[in-house]
Amino acid sequence: MTQTFYEHMAQFLRDKDAKDVVEVGLDVQLRLARALSSHCRKFYSVNFSEDHARMQGWYELARDMGGVTNLEFLSGNVLELPNLLPNLIDHADVIILQGVLIDGTGTDTDLMWKYRRGELECDDGLWRELVSRFRQAEEDAYKGFLQVAKPGHIVRFGKPEEDKKFKNMLVDKLRVDPTRIQTKVLLYGDTGNVGKAFFIDNS
């Protein structure tokens, strides 16, 4: 029977004896943090400050009702992660991204939805520029992840159709040894939908 991503990651953190774990792009309801925080010493959430403001109520609920006492919000642009963390930890044992679209500007995600909803006109050229910015932000962010989780692991869980471009970025642009990349099909919670997790061994 296929495991959920949460189930697999709980065991993964225990197996790796993870101390400091960083999640990029925490979901508003803190579901992954609530599922995994008890399996590490400290669980950091990296998001823009406005996102953390929206999560505050869920954070208080998780702390007061769910016993999540080791979650710390870290506000800022994830592209600056190597500069955000040094005052807190030397490095991250595991960095986790679950269905995250990395936005290097903080405004491109909103722009994308306005294009898709027809609120703003978008021709092919504008769309290509937007996609290019997302791809560059992803590449820049993973460069930083490879610095922060050294030694350590980076775990990305997302849609299977995104796999080829993602792996090409890791291998061709960031020179990650392909033998250091493992994949596993896992479930999104109890939805029955499947995704694919990439496990990058950066030790």
Side-chain angles (χ1 to χ4, degrees), residues 48 50-51 54 99-117 119-120 127 130-131 133-134 137:
F48 292 113
E50 55 268 29
D51 294 325
R54 289 196 295 270
V100 177
L101 181 62
I102 295 174
D103 185 339
T105 67
T107 59
D108 277 341
T109 302
D110 184 54
L111 181 61
M112 177 189 71
W113 286 113
K114 287 180 177 178
Y115 284 162
R116 287 184 171 177
R117 290 191 297 256
E119 296 173 12
L120 291 175
W127 186 256
L130 180 63
V131 170
R133 289 199 298 274
F134 277 123

Side-chain angles (χ1 to χ4, degrees), residues 61-132:
L61 185 65
R63 182 192 60 201
D64 298 339
M65 304 293 290
V68 178
T69 59
N70 62 339
L71 171 61
E72 183 167 332
F73 284 165
L74 186 61
S75 297
N77 191 324
V78 72
L79 271 64
E80 302 296 325
L81 188 61
N83 298 322
L84 291 174
L85 283 180
N87 292 331
L88 298 171
I89 56 175
D90 293 330
H91 84 289
D93 298 300
V94 181
I95 297 175
I96 306 171
L97 300 93
Q98 178 186 220
V100 177
L101 181 62
I102 295 174
D103 185 339
T105 67
T107 59
D108 277 341
T109 302
D110 184 54
L111 181 61
M112 177 189 71
W113 286 113
K114 287 180 177 178
Y115 284 162
R116 287 184 171 177
R117 290 191 297 256
E119 296 173 12
L120 291 175
E121 290 188 11
C122 177
D123 58 24
D124 289 345
L126 288 173
W127 186 256
R128 284 195 299 269
E129 289 177 9
L130 180 63
V131 170
S132 178

Side-chain angles (χ1 to χ4, degrees), residues 29-81:
Q29 297 179 15
L30 284 67
R31 286 169 292 204
L32 189 63
R34 286 187 280 121
L36 300 184
S37 62
S38 64
H39 303 289
C40 61
R41 179 177 61 192
K42 197 79 172 180
F43 196 99
Y44 297 90
S45 161
V46 182
N47 300 277
F48 292 113
S49 57
E50 55 268 29
D51 294 325
H52 283 154
R54 289 196 295 270
M55 298 171 188
Q56 191 62 37
W58 286 101
Y59 168 70
E60 292 171 3
L61 185 65
R63 182 192 60 201
D64 298 339
M65 304 293 290
V68 178
T69 59
N70 62 339
L71 171 61
E72 183 167 332
F73 284 165
L74 186 61
S75 297
N77 191 324
V78 72
L79 271 64
E80 302 296 325
L81 188 61

Side-chain angles (χ1 to χ4, degrees), residues 78-197:
V78 72
L79 271 64
E80 302 296 325
L81 188 61
N83 298 322
L84 291 174
L85 283 180
N87 292 331
L88 298 171
I89 56 175
D90 293 330
H91 84 289
D93 298 300
V94 181
I95 297 175
I96 306 171
L97 300 93
Q98 178 186 220
V100 177
L101 181 62
I102 295 174
D103 185 339
T105 67
T107 59
D108 277 341
T109 302
D110 184 54
L111 181 61
M112 177 189 71
W113 286 113
K114 287 180 177 178
Y115 284 162
R116 287 184 171 177
R117 290 191 297 256
E119 296 173 12
L120 291 175
E121 290 188 11
C122 177
D123 58 24
D124 289 345
L126 288 173
W127 186 256
R128 284 195 299 269
E129 289 177 9
L130 180 63
V131 170
S132 178
R133 289 199 298 274
F134 277 123
R135 288 180 178 165
Q136 187 61 55
E138 181 179 51
E139 182 179 336
D140 292 342
Y142 275 84
K143 285 179 184 176
F145 300 162
L146 290 166
Q147 293 176 38
V148 171
K150 181 66 176 177
H153 294 79
I154 303 164
V155 181
R156 172 190 181 270
F157 184 55
K159 298 175 181 178
E161 58 265 29
E162 301 168 349
D163 290 355
K164 187 174 181 181
K165 288 180 181 177
F166 178 67
K167 190 168 185 179
N168 286 345
M169 179 199 72
L170 293 175
V171 175
D172 297 339
K173 294 190 175 182
L174 301 182
R175 304 302 179 194
V176 175
D177 183 345
T179 65
R180 295 277 186 174
I181 305 171
Q182 303 296 320
T183 61
K184 188 173 182 64
V185 173
L186 297 164
L187 294 173
Y188 284 94
D190 57 3
T191 65
N193 297 323
V194 298
K196 185 177 282 188

